[in-house]
Amino acid sequence: MPQWLTDDEQRAWRGLLQMTSRLDARLNRELQQTSGLSLADYDVLVLLTEAPDGRIRVFELVADLHWEQSRLSHHIARMQRRGLVGREECSTDRRGAFVVLTDIGREAIEKAAPGHAATVRRLVFDGLSEEQVAMLEAFTGRVLSRLDRVTSAVPGDGPAEGIS
Amino acid sequence: MPQWLTDDEQRAWRGLLQMTSRLDARLNRELQQTSGLSLADYDVLVLLTEAPDGRIRVFELVADLHWEQSRLSHHIARMQRRGLVGREECSTDRRGAFVVLTDIGREAIEKAAPGHAATVRRLVFDGLSEEQVAMLEAFTGRVLSRLDRVTSAVPGDGPAEGIS
């Protein structure tokens, strides 16, 4: 017997999917229009600003962003053409090339961040009580730890998928 | 002054982003490996199974999925080549073509659905109390209604973006 969701769970799940896709679309559009960055650009640049010396290896970006390798490669190449990031090849190290934050990239995210934070506040957090924020954090933390622990239904596909 | 998030809000927000991207990646991988469908295929097929006569106009899919038009067009073309959906042109009606569910598409989603539901249950809902489910639904509903109501920061970009 399949373990279907109850009606309440179904509504909560659909709500989460709807919210996520609409929030993504809205944040992406506002970012694009106010700063010229996409949400994907923004996510890459955030990771780079937080990395030591503003550089991260490609495989670490894959692990942090959970994008498919091909999507990441294409995206980084496009960001490179726009001058937002650079690439440092590393022929002596098997762990491969670094993606590095450029001055243009740093300036772009520093300019975009305040508006983006204000949009997130306006759409998600304004009027949320401290308890509700804590509940949201607990819920996401719970699912994240399940993603680490719960064995995949797919044979040979182990639970230890999370590096981040 | 930018309205930065508090530390608690920042943690909850990062948790939500992390959870969403990891859950997406995991659900996509399990679906692919067990049924050959991607999460994007699945989302399109769900909408078609729920539509009258298993057909939806392209612009309605754009509104429901919140994908960019070009992404949707490419995706539908690929699904069509795999026989999962068909296309009915509609030259007499300005609202444009229909995407229609094929027998192959219906069989594919009926086969994939029980496993997908079990994965969602295992990763998200197992062990969640009724209260927590209700809280999740309330939270997502709250953000969705803000997405409908809150005026965009971008001039000329009105609040009435949601059709779904």
Side-chain angles (χ1 to χ4, degrees):
Chain A
M1 280 294 287
Q3 298 182 286
W4 297 111
L5 303 183
T6 66
D7 288 350
D8 286 345
E9 289 168 345
Q10 183 76 17
R11 273 200 307 278
W13 178 240
R14 295 253 174 143
L16 185 62
L17 296 180
Q18 267 288 317
M19 180 191 81
T20 303
S21 62
R22 288 194 53 194
L23 204 46
D24 260 26
R26 173 77 164 256
L27 292 174
N28 187 52
R29 202 180 57 209
E30 295 211 8
L31 252 181
Q32 290 266 20
Q33 293 180 335
T34 54
S35 73
L37 297 177
S38 69
L39 204 51
D41 298 333
Y42 193 89
D43 291 343
V44 170
L45 293 173
V46 165
L47 290 173
L48 285 169
T49 55
E50 292 173 353
D53 302 323
R55 27 185 262 164
I56 305 183
R57 289 184 198 273
V58 174
F59 81 89
E60 288 170 321
L61 277 177
V62 169
D64 282 344
L65 293 166
H66 304 279
W67 295 356
E68 287 180 19
Q69 173 82 51
S70 64
R71 176 183 172 200
L72 184 75
S73 302
H74 285 116
H75 196 82
I76 295 296
R78 281 196 299 273
M79 289 179 74
Q80 207 179 341
R81 285 195 293 274
R82 292 158 63 206
L84 295 166
V85 299
R87 209 180 152 93
E88 270 174 28
E89 298 304 332
C90 203
S91 57
T92 57
D93 187 328
R94 289 156 156 237
R95 287 169 301 170
F98 282 103
V99 177
V100 295
L101 187 61
T102 61
D103 290 344
I104 294 174
R106 189 179 296 277
E107 202 180 311
I109 190 162
E110 283 174 358
K111 228 170 137 180
H116 184 62
T119 307
V120 170
R121 161 162 294 299
R122 207 168 72 244
L123 292 171
V124 180
F125 290 102
D126 264 357
L128 220 58
S129 69
E130 277 178 36
E131 262 178 338
Q132 288 168 313
V133 174
M135 276 193 290
L136 176 61
E137 198 194 337
F139 170 72
T140 60
R142 192 172 173 284
V143 175
L144 283 166
S145 82
R146 286 188 165 231
L147 282 161
D148 285 332
R149 282 184 355 247
V150 173
T151 308
S152 168
V154 180
D157 190 26
E161 69 161 16
I163 294 177
S164 57
Chain B
M1 280 293 289
Q3 298 182 286
W4 297 110
L5 303 182
T6 66
D7 288 349
D8 286 346
E9 290 167 345
Q10 183 76 16
R11 274 200 307 278
W13 177 240
R14 294 253 175 145
L16 185 62
L17 296 180
Q18 266 289 317
M19 180 192 81
T20 303
S21 62
R22 288 193 53 194
L23 204 47
D24 259 26
R26 173 77 164 258
L27 292 173
N28 186 52
R29 202 180 59 210
E30 296 211 9
L31 251 181
Q32 291 265 19
Q33 293 180 336
T34 54
S35 73
L37 297 177
S38 68
L39 203 52
D41 298 333
Y42 193 88
D43 291 343
V44 170
L45 293 173
V46 165
L47 289 173
L48 285 169
T49 55
E50 291 173 353
D53 302 322
R55 29 185 260 165
I56 305 183
R57 289 184 198 272
V58 174
F59 81 88
E60 288 170 322
L61 277 177
V62 169
D64 282 344
L65 293 165
H66 303 280
W67 295 356
E68 287 180 19
Q69 173 82 49
S70 64
R71 178 184 171 199
L72 183 75
S73 303
H74 285 116
H75 197 82
I76 294 296
R78 282 196 299 273
M79 289 179 75
Q80 208 180 341
R81 285 195 292 275
R82 293 158 63 205
L84 295 167
V85 299
R87 211 181 150 91
E88 271 174 26
E89 297 304 332
C90 203
S91 58
T92 57
D93 187 328
R94 288 156 157 235
R95 287 169 301 170
F98 281 103
V99 177
V100 295
L101 187 61
T102 62
D103 290 344
I104 295 174
R106 190 178 296 276
E107 203 180 311
I109 191 162
E110 283 174 358
K111 230 170 136 178
H116 184 63
T119 306
V120 170
R121 160 161 296 298
R122 209 167 72 245
L123 292 171
V124 181
F125 290 102
D126 264 355
L128 220 58
S129 69
E130 279 178 33
E131 262 178 337
Q132 287 168 313
V133 174
M135 180 223 82
L136 177 61
E137 198 194 338
F139 170 71
T140 60
R142 191 172 174 285
V143 175
L144 283 166
S145 81
R146 287 188 165 232
L147 281 161
D148 285 332
R149 283 185 353 247
V150 173
T151 307
S152 169
V154 180
D157 190 25
E161 69 161 17
I163 294 176
S164 57

